[in-house]
Amino acid sequence: MGSLWQLGTDLMLGVLNFFYEISNSYGIAIILLTILIRILLYPLSHKQLVSMKKMQQIQPRLKTLQEKYKDDRQKLNQEVMKLYKEYGVNPAAGCLPLLVQLPILILLFRVIMNYDFGEEFFVGVSLKHSLLALMSQALGASETARAGITTVLGAVASNPAGLLNFGIYGGTLLLWLGVGFVTWFQQKMTTSSAASEQMAFMGWFMPLFMMFICLSLPGGVLLYWGVSSLIGVVQQAWVQRRASVEGAKKPVLYKEKPRSAEKPKDL
């Protein structure tokens, strides 16, 4: 397993170096590598998005069943399984592709995380340093390499004028905000109006949690995550558009399955 992991690491490093040689820019190399990985994973991610869209479409019926059989767990499970079978929904179909993708995405993350980009900037984004490290540098803090939130807050309190050095951290700050917005928008696209309060909460919590994590990540990782998320949004919008077009040709999905009309009795 370890040798396979190392083989994957060496392969991605080779591809990253190849893209750097033809572009002479680590920023462009990261973008090209991210696009390549997304293309290779497209069949799996597409299957996952289609499954998520189907689950989103049956949410009104699912919520009605939960309310109707809230005191009968066994009957609820039976009706839910009938609903899944009726619309060809397999809940596991959305999880299995993700489990296959995760090792590859983690591998890509580790390669970019540990790569030495030197002091290269890409459109104002430092590929080596995190947002917290750059803000600490702009504020004149004594410790910048491993700067945390407390370090930055303390530096702001002692030297607020340092925030005017926007050129040092501005590009990374804008990318960080962009990653947070794209993550929020992606969550919004996957959350239906009939979603539970817990799902609605996760739609806000996950972007904020991701932004918190990204504060300490190098700009190269932020660039990878932002480009990958943006591609995901485009792909998801395309899947939803196709589903809407196909749905327009099908009967309306009612909250409860319509009852068959009773035949008139013979006189």
Side-chain angles (χ1 to χ4, degrees):
M1 186 66 181
S3 59
L4 184 62
W5 187 264
Q6 185 61 43
L7 179 63
T9 302
D10 294 339
L11 179 61
M12 283 201 180
L13 279 173
V15 176
L16 182 62
N17 287 326
F18 169 76
F19 284 141
Y20 174 74
E21 290 177 3
I22 64 176
S23 65
N24 200 31
S25 168
Y26 280 121
I28 295 177
I30 291 173
I31 293 174
L32 292 177
L33 179 59
T34 305
I35 293 174
L36 176 62
I37 295 298
R38 294 291 302 201
I39 291 174
L40 294 176
L41 294 178
Y42 173 79
L44 292 173
S45 60
H46 180 75
K47 186 175 182 180
Q48 178 192 357
L49 289 174
V50 170
S51 177
M52 289 172 60
K53 182 59 180 177
K54 286 183 178 180
M55 287 294 295
Q56 189 176 359
Q57 288 175 329
I58 67 171
Q59 279 300 314
R61 286 273 302 275
L62 191 59
K63 191 172 182 180
T64 300
L65 290 176
Q66 290 171 344
E67 293 174 354
K68 186 175 182 179
Y69 300 106
K70 60 182 178 181
D71 298 325
D72 190 343
R73 179 64 61 178
Q74 184 176 358
K75 182 66 174 177
L76 173 62
N77 292 335
Q78 292 175 353
E79 292 298 321
V80 169
M81 293 307 297
K82 287 181 183 178
L83 181 64
Y84 287 162
K85 186 176 181 179
E86 180 181 349
Y87 289 96
V89 174
N90 181 6
C95 300
L96 292 178
L98 181 61
L99 293 178
V100 177
Q101 294 178 67
L102 271 178
I104 301 175
L105 296 176
I106 292 174
L107 182 62
L108 176 59
F109 171 84
R110 285 173 59 89
V111 167
I112 297 176
M113 182 76 178
N114 299 320
Y115 198 90
D116 184 12
F117 296 106
E119 297 299 327
E120 180 170 336
F121 280 73
F122 179 71
V123 292
V125 176
S126 171
L127 301 179
K128 179 181 180 179
H129 301 291
S130 68
L131 176 59
L132 290 177
L134 293 172
M135 291 189 70
S136 297
Q137 181 182 344
L139 292 164
S142 57
E143 183 180 1
T144 59
R146 298 182 179 179
I149 295 179
T150 55
T151 303
V152 173
L153 292 177
V156 170
S158 60
N159 182 29
L163 293 174
L164 297 177
N165 298 320
F166 191 74
I168 297 177
Y169 64 90
T172 305
L173 175 63
L174 293 176
L175 177 59
W176 176 73
L177 292 172
V179 168
F181 173 77
V182 172
T183 305
W184 168 80
F185 190 71
Q186 199 168 18
Q187 288 285 329
K188 183 177 176 64
M189 292 176 71
T190 57
T191 305
S192 67
S193 57
S196 63
E197 293 183 1
Q198 183 179 5
M199 289 297 296
F201 169 75
M202 291 300 294
W204 284 100
F205 174 77
M206 284 305 296
L208 293 175
F209 179 72
M210 181 57 61
M211 292 181 73
F212 175 76
I213 296 297
C214 287
L215 283 172
S216 303
L217 296 180
V221 177
L222 286 183
L223 182 61
Y224 145 69
W225 189 260
V227 173
S228 182
S229 299
L230 192 59
I231 295 173
V233 167
V234 173
Q235 184 181 356
Q236 193 168 332
W238 182 73
V239 168
Q240 291 186 348
R241 180 179 175 83
R242 282 194 62 183
S244 299
V245 172
E246 293 175 1
K249 302 176 183 178
K250 297 179 181 179
V252 178
L253 181 63
Y254 296 96
K255 287 189 175 182
E256 293 191 62
K257 186 177 179 181
R259 297 180 179 178
S260 302
E262 296 183 359
K263 296 181 179 180
K265 296 181 179 180
D266 296 331
L267 297 176

